């Protein structure tokens, strides 16, 4: 196994891929399959059928196969996970999966986003906090942001959090430099360009400009309170929950990731191609398809 390359992945991805290999090895041992590499196509299809009969979800099956695919690639082995029959079997599991196998997180649409932004003036304790959460909600949506890219966790970790010094505002666009991300562990950096919109109520450029005008000149995480303390994941999720309640939406299906899911869905509905959505959302695989909830 190529430990250098496996260690280049995000810790959560490392764990998931190693678990995939463990599950597959045990499957082989328990069902009398030989320890042959590259993995024969028959072994793969039997493994998928086994997982389907065990009633594993589509996302779990797809994740296990992605893990096996990665190990094939880093060891320069033929990757049978990309064969037509394998992809069709996985698609079949997705079509046949029951409600309990689905990702229940709901997408935040443009209409919902506008209502959320309007509600913040009622919920937040002052004007500064209103502008802070308006900017964080707007960027989460328009930038396809993961919550770890706009907040810090309870231990104040800032591994991938957007920094104030990495924001550039122009007349017609907002540029956000992500120095690293879940899919960019080496820190190559990615610049997200978000265009100005006609609707000023949701325009990410205008909303960010309003926030930057009042934000104190602290370096570090872009989204911080007036005393300089960074916006936390818990605070972001709590305000989202309260905002949804204020606008009369049941919030059980909405999470912080609903902004990212919502933008992917919105782009698909507006006719943007799969490849463009994949690039805009910084996905490295076909996983983005699970985020489109038409």
């Amino acid at each position: 196994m190529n430990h250098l390359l496996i260690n280049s992945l995000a810790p959560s991805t490392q764990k998931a891929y190693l678990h995939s290999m463990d599950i597959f090895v045990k499957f082989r041992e328990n069902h009398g399959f030989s320890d042959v590499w590259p993995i024969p196509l028959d072994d793969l299809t039997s493994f998928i059928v086994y997982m389907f009969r065990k009633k594993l979800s589509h996302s779990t099956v797809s994740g296990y196969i992605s893990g096996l695919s990665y190990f094939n690639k880093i060891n320069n082995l033929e990757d049978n996970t990309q064969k037509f029959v394998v992809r069709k079997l996985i698609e079949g599991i997705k079509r046949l999966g029951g409600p309990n196998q689905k990702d229940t997180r709901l997408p935040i649409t443009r209409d919902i986003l506008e209502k959320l932004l309007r509600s913040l003036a009622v919920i937040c304790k002052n004007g500064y906090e209103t502008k802070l959460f308006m900017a964080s909600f707007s960027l989460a949506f328009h930038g396809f942001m993961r919550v770890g890219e706009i907040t810090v966790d309870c231990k104040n970790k800032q591994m991938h959090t957007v920094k104030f010094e990495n924001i550039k505002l122009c007349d017609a666009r907002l540029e956000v430099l992500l120095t690293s991300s879940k899919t960019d562990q080496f820190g190559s950096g990615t610049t997200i360009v978000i265009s100005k919109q006609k609707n000023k109520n949701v325009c990410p450029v205008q909303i960010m400009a309003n926030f930057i005008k009042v934000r104190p000149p602290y370096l570090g995480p872009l989204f911080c309170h007036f005393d300089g303390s960074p916006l936390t994941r818990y605070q972001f999720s709590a305000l989202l929950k309260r905002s949804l309640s204020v606008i009369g939406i049941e919030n059980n299906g909405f999470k912080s990731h609903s902004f990212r899911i919502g933008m992917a869905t919105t782009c698909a509905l507006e006719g943007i191609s799969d490849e463009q959505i994949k690039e805009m959302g910084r996905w490295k695989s076909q996983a983005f398809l699970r985020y489109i909830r038409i």
Side-chain angles (χ1 to χ4, degrees):
M1 184 190 304
N2 194 321
H3 291 284
L4 176 61
L5 290 177
I6 191 70
N7 288 335
S8 70
L9 299 171
S12 58
T13 307
Q14 289 181 39
K15 184 177 179 181
Y17 282 3
L18 289 170
H19 182 61
S20 300
M21 183 60 69
D22 288 341
I23 293 294
F24 179 67
V25 168
K26 289 177 182 177
F27 163 78
R28 274 182 157 178
E29 291 174 350
N30 294 335
H31 292 81
F33 287 94
S34 301
D35 186 22
V36 178
W37 299 88
I39 305 170
L41 186 58
D42 284 349
D43 289 25
L44 280 171
T45 55
S46 296
F47 183 46
I48 293 170
V49 171
Y50 163 78
M51 291 189 286
F52 175 69
R53 288 176 175 169
K54 295 287 288 184
K55 298 183 178 180
L56 298 185
S57 68
H58 166 264
S59 60
T60 299
V61 173
S62 181
Y64 285 167
I65 297 301
S66 294
L68 298 180
S69 175
Y70 184 80
F71 281 105
N72 286 332
K73 291 172 182 174
I74 65 172
N75 289 289
N76 293 315
L77 298 172
E78 182 182 3
D79 187 15
N80 283 324
T81 67
Q82 302 304 311
K83 292 292 178 66
F84 178 80
V85 65
V86 172
R87 309 319 304 171
K88 285 300 177 184
L89 280 173
I90 295 174
E91 288 177 16
I93 291 175
K94 184 176 183 179
R95 287 196 301 272
L96 295 172
N100 62 324
Q101 295 187 351
K102 295 181 180 178
D103 182 347
T104 58
R105 293 176 298 185
L106 299 173
I108 288 174
T109 62
R110 288 195 194 278
D111 287 342
I112 293 176
L113 175 66
E114 184 168 1
K115 292 175 182 177
L116 290 174
L117 296 178
R118 286 176 176 171
S119 74
L120 292 172
V122 177
I123 298 170
C124 296
K125 58 186 179 182
N126 56 49
Y128 179 84
E129 292 287 302
T130 300
K131 290 181 172 62
L132 165 64
F133 282 99
M134 285 185 70
S136 63
F137 282 9
S138 178
L139 184 60
F141 180 81
H142 293 101
F144 288 85
M145 306 299 281
R146 301 177 178 93
V147 67
E149 295 167 349
I150 53 178
T151 68
V152 302
D153 66 14
C154 59
K155 296 180 181 178
N156 201 28
K157 290 183 180 178
Q158 304 174 16
M159 187 181 300
H160 305 308
T161 309
V162 176
K163 302 296 191 294
F164 173 59
E165 52 267 35
N166 293 332
I167 291 291
K168 183 178 180 181
L169 272 169
C170 304
D171 289 338
R173 69 184 186 276
L174 166 66
E175 296 181 9
V176 182
L177 172 61
L178 282 180
T179 56
S180 68
S181 67
K182 179 182 177 181
T183 54
D184 178 21
Q185 295 296 307
F186 290 115
S188 301
T190 302
T191 298
I192 302 170
V193 179
I194 304 172
S195 299
K196 199 169 186 176
Q197 297 180 11
K198 291 182 179 180
N199 184 351
K200 293 184 178 180
N201 293 325
V202 297
C203 176
V205 180
Q206 184 62 55
I207 290 172
M208 184 61 70
N210 293 340
F211 171 61
I212 295 299
K213 285 179 183 177
V214 298
R215 184 192 183 280
Y218 300 114
L219 296 181
L222 168 64
F223 296 117
C224 67
H225 301 284
F226 197 72
D227 63 0
S229 60
L231 177 64
T232 68
R233 181 187 296 255
Y234 172 80
Q235 292 165 347
F236 183 89
S237 297
L239 256 292
L240 173 60
K241 185 176 181 179
R242 288 183 62 191
S243 298
L244 288 164
S245 179
V246 166
I247 64 176
I249 293 180
E250 287 289 336
N251 55 47
N252 290 339
F254 292 94
K255 309 295 180 184
S256 57
H257 222 55
S258 291
F259 289 101
R260 185 167 165 84
I261 294 170
M263 189 55 175
T265 300
T266 298
C267 287
L269 288 170
E270 293 175 353
I272 296 176
S273 71
D274 285 355
E275 284 305 310
Q276 286 178 290
I277 294 172
K278 182 177 178 181
E279 181 180 357
M280 291 164 67
R282 310 179 305 284
W283 279 285
K284 301 297 184 182
S285 70
Q286 297 302 104
F288 78 96
L289 292 171
R290 299 199 299 268
Y291 284 66
I292 298 175
R293 313 289 168 83
I294 304 300

